[in-house]
């Protein structure tokens, strides 16, 4: 299929409706859905439609039924908004040559009722039980976001790493003087371990992000907060994140479960900030150990790594992102996936 013919295909991008696309602050899946959409438009795709909340922002065609994300307007029942959004979008499936879902397993349940092929980017498995849906639709098309985050029972077309927007991440060769931990505040992300590592190293720590587990925050995080050595500044939007990374000597990402991809890691390196991350899941795929950061297996190893951060070349951090984790890299990979899907679909006819 020639490039011009491929780019004339009608593509629907299905984004979640927890947050606006792109999100104002937190919203990893919405961020990726936005980057795919805008990346396709930038690379000359003429018929791209984004299904997202009505307040979303895109250069593609926007279609939505939910006024604001259910995490931003708590008057909604999340499942009601989710079902309405997905069902309304897939009612229009016949208008498209391909539906690219970034909305987990639920859209797959509509496959028996539509003829348009669906590609699902699997952003992770929130619970093993949802695999029942994926297994029931193995004749669909799947992409993983890292080699580490794959289920051995599923047929994947490819691994496509998430791509980030470099335009709002300023590379700074001069390091800041604080440790930074940002993302969702949850045991999974090891916020408590970041505090422990910072205290043992004697460095100040800034924590940013949404509180996803209030009990965890109240019991394990809040007692350590003050106005100097351990600060919590809440969620940050892209502009605030860029300023936060200016302060960073290193970013601590001491996740307690296998990382699926880790946008935080790519964003940090794009700003030239080295990572100290738990060696779980995709961290070894995103970080080049001892070149753009350090992979560790304990808090004590993290403290030791903090003492070696000045050995990391911050230019190499940025370079790794430019070569592997940009929007353009991601969308170029998806173009190959789309072409393969259309080839496979043509063989069925």
């Amino acid at each position: 299929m020639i490039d011009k013919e491929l780019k004339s295909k009608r593509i629907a991008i299905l984004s979640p409706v927890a947050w606006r696309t792109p999100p104002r602050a937190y919203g990893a899946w919405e961020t990726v859905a936005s980057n795919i959409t805008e990346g396709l438009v930038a690379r000359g795709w003429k018929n791209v439609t984004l299904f997202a909340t009505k307040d979303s922002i895109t250069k593609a065609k926007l279609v939505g039924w939910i006024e604001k994300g259910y995490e931003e307007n708590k008057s909604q029942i999340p499942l009601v908004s989710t079902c309405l959004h997905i069902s309304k979008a897939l009612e229009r499936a016949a208008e498209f040559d391909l539906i690219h879902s970034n909305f987990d397993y639920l859209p797959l349940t509509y496959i028996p009722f539509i003829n348009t092929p669906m590609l699902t980017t699997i952003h992770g498995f929130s619970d093993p039980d949802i695999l029942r849906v994926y297994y029931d639709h193995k004749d669909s098309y799947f992409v993983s976001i890292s080699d580490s985050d794959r289920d051995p029972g599923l047929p994947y077309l490819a691994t496509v790493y998430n791509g980030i927007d470099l335009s709002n991440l300023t590379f700074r060769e001069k390091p800041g003087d604080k440790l930074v931990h940002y993302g969702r505040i949850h045991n999974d992300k090891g916020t408590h371990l970041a505090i422990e590592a910072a205290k043992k190293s004697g460095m100040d720590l800034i924590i940013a992000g949404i509180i996803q587990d209030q009990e965890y925050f109240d019991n394990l995080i809040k007692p350590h907060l003050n106005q100097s050595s351990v600060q919590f500044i809440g969620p940050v939007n892209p502009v605030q994140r860029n300023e936060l990374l200016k302060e960073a000597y290193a970013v601590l990402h001491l996740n307690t479960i296998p990382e699926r991809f880790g946008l935080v890691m790519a964003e940090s390196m794009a700003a030239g900030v080295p990572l100290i991350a738990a060696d779980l899941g995709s961290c070894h795929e995103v970080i080049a150990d001892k070149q753009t950061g350090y992979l560790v297996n304990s808090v004590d190893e993290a403290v030791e790594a903090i003492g070696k951060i000045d050995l990391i070349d911050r230019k190499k951090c940025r370079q790794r992102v430019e070569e592997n984790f940009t929007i353009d890299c991601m969308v170029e990979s998806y173009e190959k996936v789309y072409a393969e899907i259309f080839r496979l679909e043509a063989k069925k006819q």
Side-chain angles (χ1 to χ4, degrees):
M1 184 181 296
I2 63 170
D3 188 61
K4 184 176 181 181
E5 182 183 353
L6 178 64
K7 291 183 177 180
S8 70
K9 294 291 187 179
R10 301 165 299 171
I11 308 296
I13 306 295
L14 184 59
S15 183
V17 287
W19 311 91
R20 188 191 75 177
T21 300
R24 293 173 175 84
Y26 179 79
W29 295 4
E30 287 87 351
T31 296
V32 176
S34 175
N35 288 347
I36 293 170
T37 303
E38 306 314 304
L40 288 170
V41 172
R43 288 176 64 88
W45 290 70
K46 305 298 184 184
N47 298 298
V48 182
T49 300
L50 173 66
F51 288 94
T53 59
K54 292 177 75 172
D55 63 343
S56 295
I57 300 170
T58 181
K59 293 180 180 178
K61 181 180 180 181
L62 175 65
V63 178
W65 297 271
I66 310 303
E67 295 290 338
K68 294 180 71 69
Y70 57 74
E71 291 288 357
E72 299 179 85
N73 177 0
K74 296 288 189 176
S75 67
Q76 304 171 68
I77 298 174
L79 186 58
V80 172
S81 294
T82 293
C83 290
L84 179 64
H85 174 65
I86 292 172
S87 62
K88 287 284 190 181
L90 295 186
E91 280 180 14
R92 298 180 56 173
E95 300 175 22
F96 302 98
D97 298 303
L98 177 66
I99 296 164
H100 185 169
S101 173
N102 290 270
F103 208 159
D104 213 6
Y105 64 93
L106 191 55
L108 290 168
T109 63
Y110 287 79
I111 284 179
F113 313 109
I114 65 176
N115 293 317
T116 305
M118 181 184 295
L119 168 67
T120 301
T121 294
I122 303 178
H123 292 280
F125 303 106
S126 56
D127 189 281
D129 193 46
I130 69 174
L131 283 166
R132 287 190 292 151
V133 178
Y134 286 101
Y135 289 165
D136 199 43
H137 296 287
K138 286 185 178 181
D139 56 344
S140 183
Y141 301 106
F142 303 124
V143 157
S144 60
I145 57 173
S146 68
D147 291 335
S148 301
D149 195 47
R150 283 191 167 206
D151 181 87
L154 292 179
Y156 295 87
L157 283 180
T159 289
V160 178
Y161 292 125
N162 290 333
I164 62 171
D165 184 357
L166 294 183
S167 68
N168 53 30
L169 287 157
T170 304
F171 170 74
R172 296 182 176 92
E173 193 166 356
K174 182 180 178 181
D177 60 359
K178 293 178 173 63
L179 300 174
V180 167
H181 169 88
Y182 76 101
R184 55 190 177 96
I185 311 303
H186 191 281
N187 182 70
D188 291 352
K189 296 300 183 180
T191 310
H192 62 294
L193 300 178
I195 293 173
E196 185 181 349
K199 286 187 172 183
K200 285 188 173 183
S201 71
M203 292 191 68
D204 293 346
L205 174 67
I206 303 175
I207 300 169
I210 64 166
I211 299 172
Q212 197 170 55
D213 185 329
Q214 190 66 50
E215 184 178 357
Y216 169 76
F217 179 82
D218 292 342
N219 293 335
L220 294 180
I221 307 305
K222 193 173 182 180
H224 300 282
L225 301 180
N226 52 57
Q227 296 303 313
S228 55
S229 60
V230 184
Q231 299 180 57
F232 173 62
I233 62 174
V236 289
N237 62 33
V239 173
Q240 293 166 329
R241 178 193 61 202
N242 197 39
E243 288 302 306
L244 173 64
L245 291 172
K246 180 181 179 181
E247 303 290 318
Y249 182 68
V251 166
L252 300 179
H253 192 72
L254 303 178
N255 43 299
T256 61
I257 64 171
E259 183 60 73
R260 294 159 181 165
F261 173 78
L263 288 171
V264 165
M265 295 189 289
E267 292 164 355
S268 301
M269 290 189 299
V273 180
L275 271 296
I276 298 171
D279 191 6
L280 294 171
S282 67
C283 293
H284 72 276
E285 295 178 55
V286 179
I287 297 170
D289 190 29
K290 300 179 179 64
Q291 297 180 49
T292 66
Y294 296 97
L295 299 172
V296 300
N297 294 291
S298 68
V299 169
D300 287 341
E301 286 187 13
V303 174
E304 183 182 349
I306 291 169
K308 299 186 292 185
I309 285 295
D310 59 353
L311 300 177
I312 300 295
D313 184 343
R314 293 168 70 93
K315 290 180 181 178
K316 287 186 178 179
C317 294
R318 177 76 174 201
Q319 182 181 359
R320 181 160 179 82
V321 177
E322 290 173 341
E323 292 176 354
N324 298 280
F325 308 121
T326 65
I327 292 177
D328 211 44
C329 288
M330 174 180 64
V331 175
E332 184 177 2
S333 294
Y334 274 122
E335 288 175 340
K336 295 175 184 176
V337 172
Y338 293 175
E340 177 64 6
I341 291 173
F342 293 131
R343 186 188 70 80
L344 293 171
E345 287 294 305
K347 286 179 63 176
K348 296 178 182 178
Q349 297 174 2

